[in-house]
Amino acid sequence: MRNTAESTYFVLQEIDAVTGSAIAEARIHIADLEKLGAVLGCSTTQLSGSWELDPGDLERLGAICIPPCEPDLKLNHIESWHPIRETPYLVHTNFELPLMLEGRKPLAVFHDAYPAAWLTETLARFDPFVHSGRLVRRIIDTPFTEAERARFPDFQGWRRAFFSLPGQEWRIDAFLLVLKVSAKTGWDEVLERMEGSLLGYEDWQNDWWIERKARRLEAAGAHQGK
């Protein structure tokens, strides 16, 4: 169940058509979720997602915000609030492409069963920059096991797509090594730190993330023990 406080906050975004990432954001507070659902055309149980907006939607949203406001018409998207936004640094998810084009992220990795619409759309945004030489791409497809094939009849297998900055291709091989080791030993703090570093996170950011994860696991264990 979603936290009540979190469920009343949402984020308006201006989405860049080229990168598919937000280039401007504004947090809004909406207490009446029934009215929000009416604006977005969904039930209150479907509000943990994202939607495209037109100017009429924005006007109606502004009227039910606390306090009421007139959102900038450039804000063409809304998504539900997520606790990850409280992280004290920019989490790269959904910002991979612009961060790479700015040289701030050396490696991005995407993984899912294919064909998946979101994966196809995401990779397509990277294509022009791969063709121009600004990014390097490697795609690795892995067939399903028999059990997976029965579970995912509409998909062909697993696809993992890597993008690196030129000269940083070694990070792809290192990431694959991390996956190979984890398959034998299981995931641990050392591998998590290596993964974060390969993706371009700083040491202090990896420290914060790992400590947060440890606290959450500790809290979950304490709750289960009650």
Side-chain angles (χ1 to χ4, degrees), residues 110 119-127 137 139 159 161 163:
F110 303 95
L119 185 58
T120 300
E121 293 170 2
T122 298
L123 302 192
R125 295 192 184 100
F126 283 76
D127 282 346
R137 176 179 57 202
I139 294 179
R159 171 162 293 173
F163 295 92

Side-chain angles (χ1 to χ4, degrees), residues 150-222:
R151 184 181 176 188
F152 304 110
D154 297 328
F155 297 91
Q156 299 176 32
W158 298 110
R159 171 162 293 173
R160 183 172 273 110
F162 297 88
F163 295 92
S164 77
L165 298 179
Q168 298 292 317
E169 295 90 338
W170 62 269
R171 292 176 183 265
I172 300 176
D173 296 318
F175 196 99
L176 289 170
L177 181 58
V178 167
L179 295 178
K180 184 176 180 180
V181 171
S182 68
K184 294 182 178 180
T185 67
W187 197 252
D188 59 25
E189 179 181 318
V190 173
L191 294 176
E192 182 124 20
R193 188 177 298 277
M194 291 179 64
E195 179 190 55
S197 296
L198 289 170
L199 292 171
Y201 289 100
E202 299 178 28
D203 288 343
W204 74 268
Q205 296 170 339
N206 288 323
D207 291 340
W208 187 92
W209 185 264
I210 290 170
E211 290 172 7
R212 170 182 175 272
K213 185 175 182 179
R215 289 195 302 271
R216 293 181 66 183
L217 290 174
E218 182 179 352

Side-chain angles (χ1 to χ4, degrees), residues 70-89:
E70 295 183 8
D72 191 313
L73 294 179
K74 293 181 180 179
L75 300 173
N76 54 10
H77 188 267
I78 184 174
E79 68 174 32
S80 53
W81 182 262
H82 192 284
I84 202 169
R85 288 182 169 276
E86 298 169 8
T87 303
Y89 57 85

